[in-house]
Amino acid sequence: MSFRLRLALLFVATLIVIQLVTGVLMYEVARRGVIAEGERQLAAGADSVARQLDDMSTRVADNVHVLALDYALRTAIAQRDEGTVLSALRNHGRRIGADRMMLIGLDGLIRSDTSDTSDVGHAFPYEDLVEASLDHPAAAVVALGSKAYWMIVVPVYAPSPIALIAAAIPVDDALLKHLQHLSALPNMLELITRNAAGHWSDIALGGERAVAPQVTSHGDLPMEPTVVTVNGYEYVALAKRLRESQRSAPVAVLLSYSLDDALQPYRSVTLAWGILLALGLAGGLVGAMLIARSVARPIEILAETARRIESGDYTPAPRMRERGEVGQLAAAFANMTHAIAEREEQIRHQARHDAVTTLPNRQAAEETIGRSLDESPQATGVLLMIGLARLPEIIQTLGHTIGDRVMRDAGARLRALADGASVARATDTQFSLWLIGAGIEEALILARRALDALVTPYREADISLDTAPAVGIALSPVHGRDAGALLRRAEVALIAATGAEHPIVVYNPTTDPHRPERLSLMGDLRKAVGADELLLSYQPKLHLASGVIDSVEALLRWRHPVRGLLPPDLFIGLAERTGNIREVSRWVIDRSIAQAADWTRRGHPLRVAINLSARDLDDDRLPDLIADRLAAHAVQPACVLLELTESAVMNDPETAIRVFGRLADQGVDLAIDDFGIGQSSFAYLRRLPVREIKIDRLFTQSLALDSSDRELVRSMVELGHRLGYRVTAEGVETVEALEYLRTIGCDHVQGYHIAKAMAPDAVEAMLQRMAAGTLAGVSA
Ligand code: C2E
Ligand code: CA
Ligand code: CA
């Protein structure tokens, strides 16, 4: 039940209770008044009735007395003239309204009777009246059968009493009505008598209703005003005994006063009161609802507002005109809403911003990038990751306070040049700059401006700090279509740029050690060996002195079922890290020795160079394996050349010396690959059974342009020869390079200018063409 309804109900219930109590009280007061009035009226009425009856009896007695003085009657009585007596009695009786006239002898016997002759000779029943009448006219009300009479007894003197005259005047309904009329009382008047059984019953009625039988049902008369209920109606009743003959049954008048009649005027008042109550209730209900509404409505609004705040909606509650407590509550509520909203905004801001630089943090940057990519999916975008490489060092030496100030300063510099790009602090030492709708050119311009802004050292008091900034760039959609990927890739590029001579690097997927496709390649590579997806290409090596191709290098390829033909750079490093390289190497060794055997059988004895990985040196059974394969395919050990990079050797020289020692014992030659770029120590090289060095293509490619490279290559060739090594130059792409190498006495050349790596039958076809002299420019 709502607060509002409860309030209204309480209001109305209170109203009803007050009205009802008032009504009952008023009714009770009215009733008491009516009863008191009734009692007063009854008392007065009873006295008046008794007095009037007495008056009437006196008058009648006087009349009878006058009759008794009638001379003719006295004479007739004296003469015992029955007929005259009777006629006189009848005449007089009619005149005074008596029903019955009797002549009674002094002996008490009835001598004449106008109505009932059978009584003549019998004793007159009311002898007390007879006795009393000798002093004064005696009168009493007597009950005769179901009727009441005044029995008036008067002596007849002549001059002494000679007889008595009794007159019975009926006290009937008409008389009572007359009395009631005279007294002008609204009461009911009844004349009652008690029968032999002791019950009181009516003998005459002054009104329409008779209440005597019920009122007197206990045999007692209400001698005091008494409230009684008869047939559901209330009366105040009062009885008064009349002067009566001792010989007669008791006679009384019963006056009763109807409360209901008396209360009749109040009925209409009650009705009006009821209507008023109903109207008041209706009005009260409406009023109560309105008041309850005015009280409950603001509270409901506040409750609704609280619910909204709970769900994160801080729009303030509608203004309320309420004053007092509710108004104060509303105002407090509005303040609270405002404060919560402010605090939440602050928390949200803190969650999305870096406290030091006040720039958005990485999460906010990610959201910004994601949002702008969602809004314009077709647009390109560039993400710059700007790192301060020296910051950790600065923090370590000067503390975090300075570190924070350096970052704040760098953030401010970047913000100043951002110009539409979103700047954020991506990590402790990195900022990100995101520009939607831009391409590589804009990215490079922005990167240069960022570097320009940051290379100026940070100055404070007497210190000047160089932060060593670098920029990594990732492009959308080429390098990724979601914020996370772009951030990661820009970071990879930044790592490559950090410390580099040219500190701006655009992300390059092929050099990314973290790119996800490598994960799937790892799984695929295990199956590749067994699934016959690996194959070998052979790159010819030209012997410059003879102009003959006398050897080839076996280069591995992976025909990936999904990605197509993959170069070894993409999976060799992976195979080394996952431990699959041994299996791969065994396969390469077996295939290339088998191929050498095949070529020899077909009249082309070629030396095959096999690339080994540093991890192959850990395999103690490698020499045995090679020996086993050579034997199996009946190939001379001199037909195999093992290549190991300079850096692989320097990684673990002792192992290399041990393994290659055993291989050299078997007659297998060893070449140092990528010579010149690793930090070779000739001391170690001298201890290895090396037969050949392969100058890295880095040096041969710019031979035509760079004279210092030419000198370098020349001294490498000379040094190699002096140490007794054959020298091969890799990456020979031009005729100029070839000619120069020839002049300085390099033994072998290898490179695209001679031939790319090719299938075995293509090698054979090339050899045949050279033998026929149809291949120009190589051997010349
Ligand atoms: P590498 O031993 O230095 O092999 C020579 C690489 O230079 C080959 O790349 C070859 O195609 C390329 N090349 C040859 N002539 C020229 C030229 O004139 N100009 C240029 N720019 N490049 C030229 P490839 O086949 O991609 O092999 C890359 C590397 O993969 C090899 O470098 C080698 O270290 C490794 N590798 C290849 N096959 C195997 C193998 O079977 N086992 C092991 N462990 N490593 C292998
Ligand atoms: Ca090689
Ligand atoms: Ca090489």
Side-chain angles (χ1 to χ4, degrees):
M1 209 192 284
S2 76
F3 175 61
R4 200 193 286 198
L5 191 61
R6 266 186 289 162
L7 210 60
L9 283 185
L10 176 74
F11 203 88
V12 167
T14 311
L15 200 71
I16 291 177
V17 168
I18 289 174
Q19 286 283 357
L20 284 183
V21 169
T22 311
V24 168
L25 276 178
M26 294 303 288
Y27 177 77
E28 199 50 38
V29 167
R31 189 164 167 274
R32 293 235 179 114
V34 165
I35 289 172
E37 171 64 16
E39 287 172 356
R40 200 184 56 72
Q41 285 195 15
L42 283 184
D47 287 346
S48 142
V49 167
R51 201 168 46 245
Q52 285 184 43
L53 279 173
D54 285 348
D55 288 354
M56 283 167 93
S57 71
T58 310
R59 259 196 325 274
V60 174
D62 287 350
N63 286 341
V64 178
H65 192 66
V66 171
L67 168 67
L69 294 177
D70 182 60
Y71 181 74
L73 182 64
R74 280 192 293 177
T75 314
I77 293 168
Q79 293 172 354
R80 295 196 175 252
D81 180 356
E82 292 297 324
T84 309
V85 168
L86 263 181
S87 108
L89 286 178
R90 275 201 189 103
N91 286 338
H92 282 282
R94 239 190 325 267
R95 216 177 315 133
I96 62 172
D99 253 17
R100 188 176 177 184
M101 300 288 281
M102 282 171 281
L103 184 70
I104 301 155
L106 290 176
D107 54 3
L109 297 179
I110 298 170
R111 285 167 49 189
S112 302
D113 191 338
T114 56
S115 61
D116 191 354
T117 47
S118 62
D119 280 353
V120 174
H122 286 88
F124 181 67
Y126 313 108
E127 44 198 61
D128 55 331
L129 289 181
V130 172
E131 263 168 45
S133 70
L134 294 177
D135 289 343
H136 53 82
V141 177
V142 299
L144 271 180
S146 61
K147 284 184 161 182
Y149 293 95
W150 265 314
M151 194 57 83
I152 294 146
V153 181
V154 174
V156 180
Y157 297 97
S160 52
I162 52 169
L164 300 128
I165 293 171
I169 294 167
V171 183
D172 54 8
D173 293 359
L175 181 78
L176 283 186
K177 280 201 174 76
H178 179 67
L179 275 181
Q180 189 167 354
H181 185 69
L182 280 183
S183 67
L185 296 174
N187 313 330
M188 288 178 298
L189 188 58
E190 290 167 68
L191 199 62
I192 54 176
T193 185
R194 193 169 63 195
N195 62 16
H199 292 303
W200 292 87
S201 58
D202 283 294
I203 40 182
L205 278 181
E208 289 86 41
R209 274 170 283 172
V211 295
Q214 286 88 347
V215 171
T216 59
S217 56
H218 308 295
D220 300 322
L221 282 182
M223 300 312 290
E224 292 294 325
T226 310
V227 178
V228 292
T229 306
V230 177
N231 297 336
Y233 294 99
E234 279 191 313
Y235 298 90
V236 183
L238 177 65
K240 192 158 180 88
R241 294 285 282 266
L242 293 179
R243 203 184 330 146
E244 62 199 17
S245 164
Q246 287 160 12
R247 293 297 173 156
S248 162
V251 179
V253 281
L254 180 71
L255 287 98
S256 52
Y257 177 89
S258 166
L259 285 183
D260 296 278
D261 289 349
L263 283 170
Q264 195 61 43
Y266 294 97
R267 288 270 151 71
S268 49
V269 174
T270 310
L271 184 70
W273 174 79
I275 293 171
L276 267 179
L277 179 63
L279 285 177
L281 274 184
L285 195 65
V286 171
M289 283 308 272
L290 286 178
I291 290 173
R293 194 186 125 96
S294 72
V295 175
R297 185 68 198 137
I299 294 174
E300 284 169 5
I301 290 176
L302 291 182
E304 174 58 34
T305 311
R307 268 192 293 278
R308 274 196 292 109
I309 291 174
E310 195 187 356
S311 64
D313 175 2
Y314 296 110
T315 32
R319 276 209 158 279
M320 278 186 258
R321 274 169 294 139
E322 242 48 57
R323 273 178 218 179
E325 291 85 343
V326 176
Q328 285 171 16
L329 183 63
F333 221 84
N335 289 343
M336 185 187 78
T337 313
H338 190 67
I340 292 178
E342 238 173 31
R343 230 167 293 154
E344 200 186 271
E345 182 53 45
Q346 211 175 320
I347 291 170
R348 202 173 297 159
H349 186 271
Q350 279 170 6
R352 296 171 46 84
H353 288 79
D354 166 47
V356 172
T357 58
T358 70
L359 288 171
N361 59 19
R362 186 187 185 100
Q363 191 198 339
E366 231 172 284
E367 277 169 30
T368 307
I369 296 169
R371 207 176 321 113
S372 56
L373 285 176
D374 284 349
E375 280 164 8
S376 35
Q378 303 299 327
T380 57
V382 298
L383 180 66
L384 275 63
M385 193 62 85
I386 301 151
L388 307 183
R390 287 201 56 208
L391 197 76
E393 197 185 325
I394 292 172
I395 291 171
Q396 273 163 24
T397 30
L398 300 173
H400 274 282
T401 320
I402 294 286
D404 283 351
R405 271 184 257 165
V406 171
M407 275 312 264
R408 196 177 305 132
D409 174 68
R413 295 190 203 182
L414 288 176
R415 215 198 307 236
L417 66 89
D419 188 29
S422 332
V423 190
R425 181 167 180 180
T427 70
D428 283 354
T429 59
Q430 296 167 9
F431 296 94
S432 69
L433 258 164
W434 165 250
L435 190 58
I436 186 81
I440 179 73
E441 287 83 14
E442 287 98 325
L444 290 172
I445 293 169
L446 199 57
R448 265 191 292 276
R449 279 171 50 203
L451 279 185
D452 288 347
L454 293 176
V455 282
T456 323
Y458 171 80
R459 269 178 230 289
E460 187 186 304
D462 53 348
I463 46 173
S464 169
L465 299 170
D466 176 19
T467 53
V471 184
I473 300 173
L475 307 169
S476 175
V478 238
H479 298 148
R481 285 174 196 278
D482 67 284
L486 285 171
L487 280 163
R488 274 196 307 278
R489 286 173 183 180
E491 253 174 307
V492 168
L494 172 62
I495 291 166
T498 305
E501 197 184 337
H502 185 59
I504 298 177
V505 170
V506 179
Y507 175 74
N508 176 5
T510 57
T511 56
D512 181 1
H514 307 291
R515 64 191 192 286
E517 55 262 34
R518 293 177 65 106
L519 286 174
S520 67
L521 272 183
M522 259 188 252
D524 294 352
L525 183 63
R526 281 192 207 105
K527 293 175 264 165
V529 183
D532 205 18
E533 286 171 9
L534 297 181
L535 59 106
L536 286 171
S537 270
Y538 297 89
Q539 187 175 34
K541 281 168 80 175
L542 179 69
H543 185 238
L544 282 175
S546 60
V548 168
I549 290 180
D550 60 352
S551 45
V552 289
E553 180 180 0
L555 295 167
L556 186 57
R557 306 282 179 263
W558 178 5
R559 201 187 300 283
H560 191 276
V562 179
R563 292 169 202 261
L565 201 62
L566 299 179
D569 286 335
L570 282 186
F571 61 91
I572 289 294
L574 184 71
E576 285 175 342
R577 277 193 296 279
T578 55
N580 290 314
I581 190 68
R582 282 190 197 173
E583 244 175 288
V584 173
S585 295
R586 285 174 187 209
W587 183 89
V588 172
I589 290 165
D590 179 63
R591 291 312 311 143
S592 42
I593 292 177
Q595 186 58 53
D598 192 34
W599 275 320
T600 310
R601 265 196 304 279
R602 300 170 69 91
H604 305 292
L606 289 168
R607 188 205 300 263
V608 178
I610 300 172
N611 289 286
L612 288 183
S613 146
R615 302 286 303 271
D616 288 322
L617 295 185
D618 300 340
D619 188 358
D620 279 335
R621 287 173 305 168
L622 184 74
D624 295 340
L625 175 88
I626 292 173
D628 175 61
R629 291 295 89 197
L630 288 171
H633 296 290
V635 172
Q636 292 300 308
C639 283
V640 171
L641 177 72
L642 296 177
E643 291 187 9
L644 193 70
T645 60
E646 195 186 0
S647 46
V649 171
M650 296 319 297
N651 230 11
D652 188 0
E654 295 307 323
T655 310
I657 291 164
R658 197 180 68 241
V659 173
F660 278 102
R662 282 177 60 194
L663 284 166
D665 291 347
Q666 292 172 20
V668 177
D669 275 2
L670 172 66
I672 297 297
D673 203 353
D674 299 350
F675 183 81
I677 57 167
Q679 315 289 301
S680 306
S681 161
F682 276 101
Y684 282 115
L685 287 189
R686 293 296 300 147
R687 292 172 59 193
L688 278 171
V690 172
R691 298 300 304 271
E692 183 175 323
I693 55 170
K694 297 184 77 176
I695 300 173
D696 194 81
R697 60 175 175 272
L698 197 75
F699 304 100
T700 48
Q701 264 163 356
S702 49
L703 274 183
L705 316 162
D706 198 326
S707 59
S708 65
D709 271 2
R710 251 181 273 181
E711 284 313 304
L712 197 63
V713 170
R714 179 207 285 274
S715 53
M716 279 197 268
V717 171
E718 281 173 3
L719 183 69
H721 282 161
R722 210 168 295 157
L723 293 171
Y725 305 144
R726 290 194 303 269
V727 179
T728 299
E730 291 186 306
V732 177
E733 294 181 358
T734 57
V735 67
E736 291 85 0
L738 177 83
E739 288 313 321
Y740 178 71
L741 290 164
R742 193 196 297 276
T743 46
I744 60 170
C746 186
D747 303 289
H748 283 92
V749 287
Q750 183 184 348
Y752 293 165
H753 179 67
I754 295 97
K756 287 193 171 180
M758 55 187 80
D761 42 356
V763 174
E764 199 177 332
M766 185 181 171
L767 290 178
Q768 279 161 1
R769 265 178 290 148
M770 281 183 77
T774 48
L775 193 71
V778 172
S779 52

